[in-house]
Amino acid sequence: MDFVNKLDTDTFLSILSRLHDPSDLVRASGVSRSWRDFVIRYGLSKNLCFKLFHQLTCVDRVNEESSPASSTSLIDDTTKLLEREHRAFALLAKGCTSSPIRSCIADAISASSTDNFPEESIIKTLDERVKIGATPSYWSSSGQHKASVPETLLYKLKGDLCVVTEFSIHPFQAYFQPGSPIYSSHYVRFRLGHLDNKNSLEKNNYVWTYTSQQFAMAQENRLQNFKLPEPVVCVGGYMLIEFLGRVQTQETDGLYYICMAHVRVMGRSLGKSFRLVDPEDVSGKFGLKVVSYCDPKEMGEEEVGQRPSRQRRNLEQLLHFMRRHPV
Amino acid sequence: MDQNLVDLTEKLSLSSNKIVLTSSDGDSFEIHEAVARKSQTIAEMLDAGCTGTIPLHNVTGKILDRVIDYCITHVKEDGPFEEEEEAEEKEAKKKWDAEFVKVDLETIFELILAANYLNIKGLIGLTSQAVADHIKDKTPEDVREIFGIENDFTPEEEEAVRNEHAWAFEDSK
């Protein structure tokens, strides 16, 4: 009854590429030798990654520790390459769709401006508490005369690859000021991207590959959630939050400020399994390095030894602050 | 749906020719040209000058009958009579399609082969999806049984596949 044998390549492709669950595709490769060869030869797990997450199309190869070549034929090498790709991209697809969703900010990097450093630095937004003991915990921008001047906060996410599902922002209410003003913004927008490796002259330039819609912020003292219409893969691990349109002036100086108590990002970090390898050629496409073939359920766990030291971050921020406020 | 089909049939009979398709086992079907042209293969034959009867050696009468049903239902898409479809109509078509593929796997396969041969894009998609739905959430053993496929892996090879992707085999039924 084996009809599948009668099908031509295009039709079989048409059938197998409708399997959108990576587990189904892998199980299909376990049916028989010819099914396995087909799945591997036509790169179906890589195609599935690209179909599920368009952002992944900037990753085009798998870099693995090269094992000593046991064969010298080109065909064998190509087969091994395709097998490696199949295994890696199948795991990537599964990780992107079903590893646990957790908070995925690894660190706060810098703010476009900070009023009082370090009391009102971006680091404060990592803690969900609005007040720690008697001390308020929030980031404040510097003051501006014009309400149209935007502000940005830059964060590092956990891992080079992170599937972001939702952002949450808690504007800060200055309960210690008369009237308890809330220093929110009109709108908020998010960008995801990677470090710009091409431009080595200017350090710390970023390439933003995804920009969200503008979300309206409520002038309310609560954690506001912004769910993305579809989960988005952050390739590179960096996130920029843009606050657009200031709404609140400070009574003492009449300037507009933006202050945020807490920033949270929910998503699936794939850091335990995958690293990105910088583009090697003009195509600008990244390589994918598989660090561990762990179970997708465990992918969200902390990677060991990857977090930048907090002390170094503080120093960087202090230098950044001083550059902007020369004595 | 019925009223629409009547309107459509009236439109068609005002404008186009009739084509006769014959199946491999001798059945004949007379259909409107617009319906026949849902098949790229037949459209090309007509454009190349074929007229009257078109013999289809690769398709049985039973399958051709169903294929024609599909073409009539979907004739409004991408054709000379393409119109803005209302949501209701789209919904009705979806239901019709769902019923259409509620047949045994052998028939679905024959439909795929026919759709392929006749090059009817929508039908290829519909039947491919139906086959994919039979593969979803099944273990390799189930799939082999359903499709009558021989397991030509050695035990070691099969073990290797399962180990490489252990996560895919954990909660398979």
Side-chain angles (χ1 to χ4, degrees), chain B residues 73-100:
Chain B
T73 308
H74 289 265
V75 72
K76 270 175 156 187
E77 291 153 29
D78 318 311
F81 299 103
E82 186 165 19
E83 288 166 11
E84 250 328 294
E85 282 184 341
E86 288 167 6
E88 249 178 55
E89 213 176 321
K90 278 193 180 145
E91 214 27 65
K93 265 197 206 169
K94 261 194 196 161
K95 286 201 178 121
W96 191 93
D97 284 351
E99 282 306 311
F100 183 78

Side-chain angles (χ1 to χ4, degrees), chain A residues 264-282:
Chain A
R264 188 186 71 181
V265 178
M266 298 302 283
R268 304 183 151 111
S269 166
L270 310 179
K272 197 167 182 208
S273 282
F274 299 101
R275 297 258 186 285
L276 276 185
V277 176
D278 286 340
E280 288 165 3
D281 55 28
V282 289

Side-chain angles (χ1 to χ4, degrees), chain A residues 48-109:
Chain A
L48 180 58
C49 282
F50 293 169
K51 192 185 297 192
L52 294 174
F53 297 98
H54 179 73
Q55 303 86 43
L56 287 175
T57 51
C58 64
V59 176
D60 79 339
R61 65 187 186 282
V62 174
N63 293 53
E64 262 184 46
E65 322 293 340
S66 48
S67 39
S70 52
S71 73
T72 51
S73 95
L74 186 61
I75 294 175
D76 278 352
D77 285 346
T78 311
T79 309
K80 283 205 167 56
L81 174 68
L82 289 173
E83 282 173 356
R84 262 204 332 253
E85 282 198 354
H86 166 65
R87 198 174 171 210
F89 282 104
L91 184 65
L92 182 60
K94 188 68 178 177
C96 284
T97 50
S98 62
S99 59
I101 294 181
R102 298 205 174 109
S103 161
C104 54
I105 291 182
D107 211 354
I109 302 180

Side-chain angles (χ1 to χ4, degrees), chain A residues 1-3 7-8 11 14-15 18 24 26-27 29-33 35 87 90-91 94 295-297, chain B residues 106 109 112 116 125 128-129 131-132 136-138 140 144 146 148-149 152-153 157 164-165 167-168 170 172:
Chain A
M1 190 192 138
D2 193 354
F3 290 102
L7 296 177
D8 64 350
T11 311
S14 173
I15 294 171
R18 284 159 198 277
D24 282 331
V26 165
R27 286 193 288 257
S29 76
V31 168
S32 74
R33 277 185 185 164
W35 279 46
R87 198 174 171 210
L91 184 65
K94 188 68 178 177
D295 192 301
K297 290 200 203 87
Chain B
E106 190 173 329
F109 267 113
I112 276 194
N116 224 17
S128 302
Q129 186 62 53
V131 176
K136 277 183 199 170
D137 297 329
K138 303 263 178 11
R144 283 179 210 132
I146 294 171
I149 297 170
D152 55 358
F153 282 126
E157 284 170 348
E164 258 188 14
H165 312 270
W167 48 266
E170 277 168 13
S172 50

Side-chain angles (χ1 to χ4, degrees), chain A residues 155-175:
Chain A
Y155 295 89
K156 176 73 182 66
L157 300 179
K158 294 177 183 169
D160 294 341
L161 286 172
C162 194
V163 182
V164 176
T165 53
E166 186 182 55
F167 300 82
S168 304
I169 316 258
H170 187 156
F172 181 67
Q173 180 167 36
Y175 52 84

Side-chain angles (χ1 to χ4, degrees), chain A residues 107-108 117 123 307-319:
Chain A
D107 211 354
F117 188 92
I123 297 283
R307 302 179 65 136
S309 87
R310 180 54 57 83
Q311 282 179 331
R312 184 165 63 83
R313 278 279 171 261
N314 276 346
L315 189 57
E316 276 180 15
Q317 290 197 25
L318 182 59
L319 290 172

Side-chain angles (χ1 to χ4, degrees), chain A residues 219-245:
Chain A
Q219 318 318 324
E220 290 165 25
N221 175 17
R222 59 176 175 85
L223 191 65
Q224 300 173 29
N225 300 318
F226 305 101
K227 204 169 172 79
L228 293 186
E230 272 171 359
V232 176
V233 176
C234 173
V235 179
Y238 287 91
M239 178 183 75
L240 189 75
I241 303 191
E242 295 178 295
F243 297 100
L244 308 165

